[in-house]
């Protein structure tokens, strides 16, 4: 865009300094609050030095201040009271500005705040809306402007905001026959709390507490200027000044991004957004004129500075939405029409060179081109464009013409220097790859963008095919690519033949160009198979049969899976259009991968045997067999994922009606199932060998260890860090340890199987996984021997011991509560009764007293949570809670709760009702007031067969609140049981309560 001359730039700078100096309203959260920061920003954006800035700033300070105005719009109300006999009202609204502050002396004294407009403001300064008859949801949409001509100095009220009470709104129904209006509600808005622009619903406040719910009112406020003293405001239209300011700031933003080697995405900085927001609101610029100014500025800047054209889409869409031609003066219409025509011409010139301007090698090029096309299409569809740009240009025809005269030619690339045949062949091959890549791009990418024309039109001017036909020679198939040279596997897989491109008189047809390379497919498939086979063989030779990182398989499986992934990727990129030929390619690929898989099983077992001969340690040899099993299993999973990765379902849909479904089943699914069955057989053979070598010493070891545990282990004092299973782990051979898996019937793990050395603890299911091998190893009857049953018994005993410790913990807490008479943390009073016939426990929470103040205001917001403990005895009973009582240290709850529990559970050791009193916290975690324990074994009615007791006769029970101790012997025992999830979950909860108690103290 044409830059402003120095005098124009100085006037615009004066305008923006004046805007900042006389800013109004409370700053928005996302805007800059410090005016000095804004001064520094605009000084950089306008390129002003200190001397120039100081001189213009002095001029601004000498200018007369503007008249400050409040533009108030009363939109609508809803849910107001009905005061007529019909149940409706005839509401209207009074509004005005009160000059003096009416802040009450004390927060509880709200009488002055409830005063109505007619009692506070002179009649001639009150604005009144129309009366809307018989409704409870009136709609006014009336706007009033309040400035210094109406009340005393608005500068005092809107600028200094000294002793200002605010803006008051009062809703009344229409005057009744008796001459008295009924009060419906009012809204008090302080001017100092208003932003430059506010639009929200306000709750109508009552004058008395008789009807507290009086509905809501929708109000809009705008703080503006009148009679601005700057030269620009007095001589130019507001939207023109705003456009120049916008253009100056956006240019600065774009250049700042380019200096940082990044492109501008249309997001303005907070400084620029603040300045533009202040200027638009102070000048009361409508949304339509703001959008128009942004369109004029952005469309000009787009033609000289680089940024995303999607920034234009919002403005052109908004102009279309608000388009009213009569609101524009003739010069504005001409300016808007010129911007349309200029952007259209520039956009078409970019499309003419779209391969250069939007190359696919640059990220997001297609998005940028698509965005430009969307903007042009949307612009040409608008009513403004059709009315102002007559006759209206034909956009599809302009784009089609531009694409047919693309300025890139390939003729110069055909004149190769006279070199050796090999070098000329490489040069021609490189050229052919460029042609093929362009054909693929036209078919798969460009055609999706240029929906108004065919893909061959986009590439029709790219190549002179008669020259290509003369220059093509015989080039042998290249086979698998070498990624170290940066080759593209999709392009290097093709072979070429003489006369591949037939002579064409018309434009190039892209729909069948795949047929030119059909004869090269067998060469590539054979080369792909041999290369993958060699790669798998090399990977096995280098494999040491050790776990790869955190995985349970070794490196050769990783290499083989990479080969398969490349084949899958190539199949997707190939996307052969002919379904029958595509089916044959898929059959060949599957056959090759199946042969490689079976070869891999044979070679990896030989590799394990060779490495085992060098090992002196039998455990290490067993570990290598485990890795072999894991490798084969990983390969089996890879094969099972092929149908989804290669999208067999889509291929079968394409083949529907062309090939018999049974033929597809035989060629694909049956072949894959046969290979998977062979892999399963290989797994069984290796597991059988592993079991034969490892089962006898393992069983002897387990028998001796478990005999020792039976004789010496005392569960009540057991403080080992691992439990019974952990005690066995250090001495077990690594070959029998396995990761967790999903368990099938009889505890046998399912398909997610695997064997690997490591630090995980053995369990009966893990041993079955190793030695039973899903029915292919040792029989279950042998594995379910006395040794395994004894191990399972000890593991179950560990869990039972944790539960005993938890029960003991609650018994101790109950006894501690009975032994204390202190109510340091307060107390809670309840009544409890058990009804045997219904198996129902009824609890009434009456009150709490003498609670600790935990809020900053010296009070608390307490509520009581009721749970039945221990949780393993009552797993189905959910926790219950009372209502929260605000600002109370002696809350009265008076709430009842029912729990369905069998009587025998109530008699268990440690069974109790846990009452936890919390202080509700809206933002963070609730604070702990204290907890109390009511033993269920003492429940009234528990020892009777009939419901003899009545809740009214049950005595009240006062329970003192206690806090958990930071150290507890039972909790220390539970903490040592690292592998017991139930013990760790209970320990975590009690630690959290102890931490809350410490914070409270």
């Amino acid at each position: 865009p044409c830059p402003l001359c120095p005098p124009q730039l100085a006037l615009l700078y004066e305008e923006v300094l004046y805007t900042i100096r006389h800013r109004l309203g409370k700053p928005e959260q996302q805007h800059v609050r410090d005016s000095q920061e804004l001064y520094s920003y605009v000084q950089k954006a306008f390129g002003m030095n200190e001397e120039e800035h100081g001189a213009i700033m002095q001029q601004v300070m000498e200018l007369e201040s503007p008249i400050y105005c409040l533009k108030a719009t009363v939109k609508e109300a809803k849910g107001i009271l009905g005061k007529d006999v019909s149940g409706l009202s005839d509401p209207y609204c009074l509004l005005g500005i009160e000059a003096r502050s009416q802040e009450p002396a004390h927060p509880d004294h709200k009488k002055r705040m409830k005063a109505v407009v007619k009692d506070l403001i002179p009649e001639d300064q009150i604005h009144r809306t129309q009366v809307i008859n018989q409704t409870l949801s009136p709609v006014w949409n009336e706007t009033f402007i309040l400035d210094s001509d109406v009340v005393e100095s608005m500068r005092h009220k809107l600028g200094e905001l000294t002793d200002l009470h605010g803006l008051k709104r009062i809703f009344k129904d229409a005057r009744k026959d008796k001459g008295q209006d009924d009060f419906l509600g009012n809204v008090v808005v302080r001017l100092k709390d208003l932003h430059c622009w506010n639009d929200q619903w306000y709750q109508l406040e009552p004058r008395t507490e008789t009807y507290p719910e009086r509905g809501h009112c929708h109000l809009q406020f705008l703080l503006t200027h009148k009679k601005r003293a700057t030269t620009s405001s007095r001589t130019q239209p507001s939207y023109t000044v705003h456009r120049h300011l916008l253009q100056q700031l956006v240019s600065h933003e774009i250049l700042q991004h380019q200096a940082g080697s990044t492109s501008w995405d249309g997001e303005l900085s907070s400084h620029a957004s603040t300045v533009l927001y202040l200027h638009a609101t102070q000048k009361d610029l409508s949304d339509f004129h703001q959008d128009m100014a942004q369109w004029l500025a952005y469309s000009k800047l787009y033609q000289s500075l680089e940024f995303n054209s999607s920034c234009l889409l919002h403005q052109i869409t908004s102009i279309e939405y608000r388009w009213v031609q009569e609101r524009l003066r003739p010069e504005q219409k001409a300016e808007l029409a010129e911007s349309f025509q200029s952007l259209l011409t520039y956009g078409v010139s970019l499309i003419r060179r779209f391969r250069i301007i939007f190359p696919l090698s640059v990220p997001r090029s297609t998005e940028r081109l698509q965005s430009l096309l969307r903007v042009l299409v949307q612009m040409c569809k608008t009513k403004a464009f059709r009315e102002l740009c007559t006759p209206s240009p034909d956009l599809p025809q302009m784009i089609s013409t531009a694409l047919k005269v693309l300025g890139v030619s390939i003729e110069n690339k055909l004149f190769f220097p006279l070199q050796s045949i090999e070098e000329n062949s490489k040069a021609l091959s490189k050229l052919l790859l460029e042609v093929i890549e362009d054909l693929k791009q036209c078919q798969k990418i460009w055609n999706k963008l240029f929906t108004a024309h065919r893909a061959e039109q986009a590439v029709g001017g790219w190549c002179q095919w008669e020259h290509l036909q003369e220059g093509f020679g015989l080039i042998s198939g290249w086979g698998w690519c070498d990624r170290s040279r940066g080759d593209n596997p999709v392009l290097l897989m093709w072979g070429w033949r003489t006369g591949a491109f037939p002579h064409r008189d018309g434009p190039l047809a892209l729909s069948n160009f795949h047929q030119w390379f059909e004869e090269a497919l067998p060469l590539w498939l054979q080369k792909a198979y041999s290369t993958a086979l060699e790669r798998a063989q090399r990977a096995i030779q280098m494999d040491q049969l050790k776990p790869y990182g955190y995985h349970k398989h070794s490196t050769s499986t990783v290499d083989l899976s990479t080969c398969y992934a490349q084949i899958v990727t190539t199949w997707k990129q190939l996307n052969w259009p002919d379904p029958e030929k595509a089916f044959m390619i898929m059959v060949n690929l599957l056959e090759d991968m199946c042969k490689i898989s079976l070869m891999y099983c044979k070679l990896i077992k030989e590799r394990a045997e060779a490495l085992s001969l060098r090992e002196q340690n039998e455990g290490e040899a067993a570990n290598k067999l485990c890795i072999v099993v894991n490798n084969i299993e990983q390969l089996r999973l890879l094969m099972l994922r092929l149908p989804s990765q290669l999208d067999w379902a889509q291929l079968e849909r394409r083949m529907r009606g062309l090939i018999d479904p049974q033929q597809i089943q035989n060629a694909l699914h049956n072949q894959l199932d046969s290979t998977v069955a062979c892999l399963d057989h290989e797994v069984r053979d290796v597991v059988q060998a592993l079991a034969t070598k490892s089962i006898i010493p393992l069983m002897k070891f387990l028998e001796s260890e478990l005999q020792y545990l039976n004789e010496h282990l005392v569960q009540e004092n057991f403080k080992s860090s691992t439990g019974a299973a952990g005690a066995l782990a250090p001495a077990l051979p690594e070959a029998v340890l396995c990761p967790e898996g999903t368990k099938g019937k009889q505890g046998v793990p399912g398909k997610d199987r695997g064997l690997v050395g490591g630090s995980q603890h053995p369990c009966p299911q893990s041993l079955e996984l190793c030695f039973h091998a899903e029915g292919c190893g040792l029989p279950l009857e042998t594995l379910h021997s006395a040794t395994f049953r004894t191990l399972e018994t000890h593991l179950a005993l560990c869990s039972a011991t944790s539960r005993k410790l938890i029960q003991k913990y609650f018994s101790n807490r109950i006894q501690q509560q009975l032994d204390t008479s202190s109510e340091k943390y307060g107390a809670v009073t309840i009544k409890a009764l058990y009804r045997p016939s219904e198996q129902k426990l009824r609890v009434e929470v009456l009150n709490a007293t003498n609670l600790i103040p935990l809020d900053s205001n010296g009070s608390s917001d307490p509520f009581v949570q009721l749970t039945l403990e221990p949780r393993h005895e009552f797993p189905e009973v959910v926790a219950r809670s009372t209502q929260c009582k605000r600002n109370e240290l002696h809350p009265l709850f008076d709430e009842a709760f029912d729990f369905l529990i069998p009587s025998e559970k109530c008699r268990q050791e440690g069974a109790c009702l846990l009452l936890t009193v919390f202080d509700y916290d809206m933002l963070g975690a609730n604070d702990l007031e204290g907890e109390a324990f009511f033993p269920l074994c003492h429940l009234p009615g528990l020892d009777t067969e009939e419901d003899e007791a009545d809740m009214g006769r049950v005595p009240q029970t006062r329970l003192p609140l206690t806090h958990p101790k930071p150290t507890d012997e039972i909790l220390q025992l539970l903490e040592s049981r690292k592998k017991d999830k139930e013990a760790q979950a209970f320990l975590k909860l009690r630690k959290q309560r102890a931490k809350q108690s410490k914070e409270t103290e």
Side-chain angles (χ1 to χ4, degrees), residues 10 19 118 149 195 247 272 318 348 644 789 801 808 978:
T19 299
K118 70 174 185 177
D149 296 331
H195 298 279
Q247 190 167 298
S318 298
V348 173
S644 61
R789 288 196 299 272
T801 301
K808 186 65 175 176
K978 302 296 184 182

Side-chain angles (χ1 to χ4, degrees), residues 719-906:
K719 298 184 180 180
S720 171
S721 62
T722 57
L728 298 176
L732 287 175
E734 290 185 350
V736 303
L737 303 177
C738 71
E740 295 180 358
T742 55
K743 298 179 179 58
K745 294 181 179 180
Q746 298 180 342
V748 181
K751 295 297 182 181
D752 188 14
R753 58 193 181 189
L755 306 172
V756 68
S759 60
Q760 293 162 309
H761 298 296
C763 62
Q765 290 79 11
S766 301
L767 297 175
E768 289 178 0
L769 170 66
C770 179
F771 298 116
H772 177 61
E774 298 184 352
C776 304
L778 298 179
L780 282 176
E781 291 76 10
T782 302
L783 296 176
H784 288 173
S785 61
T787 302
F788 280 90
R789 288 196 299 272
T790 304
L791 178 59
E792 288 180 331
T793 301
H794 277 281
L795 293 177
L797 185 58
C798 290
S799 178
T801 301
S802 296
R803 293 187 171 187
K804 285 291 185 182
L805 289 174
I806 294 174
Q807 290 175 326
K808 186 65 175 176
Y809 173 83
F810 284 106
S811 296
N812 290 348
R813 293 301 306 273
I814 293 173
Q815 187 60 44
Q816 292 169 6
Q817 180 179 273
L818 293 175
D819 295 340
T820 182
S821 59
S822 171
E823 293 187 359
K824 175 182 178 181
Y825 305 105
V828 59
T829 303
I830 67 169
K831 295 172 66 175
L833 173 66
Y834 187 79
R835 299 184 183 277
S837 62
E838 302 176 8
Q839 291 193 332
K840 179 189 295 184
L841 166 63
R842 184 173 183 82
V843 180
E844 291 185 2
V845 181
L846 302 179
N847 59 59
T849 56
N850 302 322
L851 299 181
I852 300 174
L854 297 180
D855 292 342
S856 59
N857 61 0
S859 185
S860 290
D861 303 323
F863 69 94
V864 182
Q865 183 186 80
L866 296 84
T867 57
L868 294 181
E869 300 290 349
R871 297 304 301 160
H872 63 263
E873 295 290 350
F874 306 97
E876 304 297 330
V877 182
V878 298
R880 310 288 291 277
S881 297
T882 67
Q883 297 292 325
C884 179
K885 301 298 182 180
R886 299 288 184 178
N887 298 322
E888 286 285 352
L889 296 180
H890 306 276
L892 178 64
F893 297 105
D894 198 16
E895 296 184 41
F897 303 91
D898 290 329
F899 300 92
L900 294 177
I901 53 175
S903 58
E904 59 270 15
K905 291 290 185 180
C906 299

Side-chain angles (χ1 to χ4, degrees), residues 5 44 54 120 131 172 245 314 400 471 502 543 556 699 716 747 914:
C5 62
K44 294 178 183 178
L120 296 177
V131 177
K172 302 186 173 204
L245 176 59
H314 172 72
S400 180
D543 198 344
S556 61
M699 297 293 284
E716 290 294 338
L914 172 58

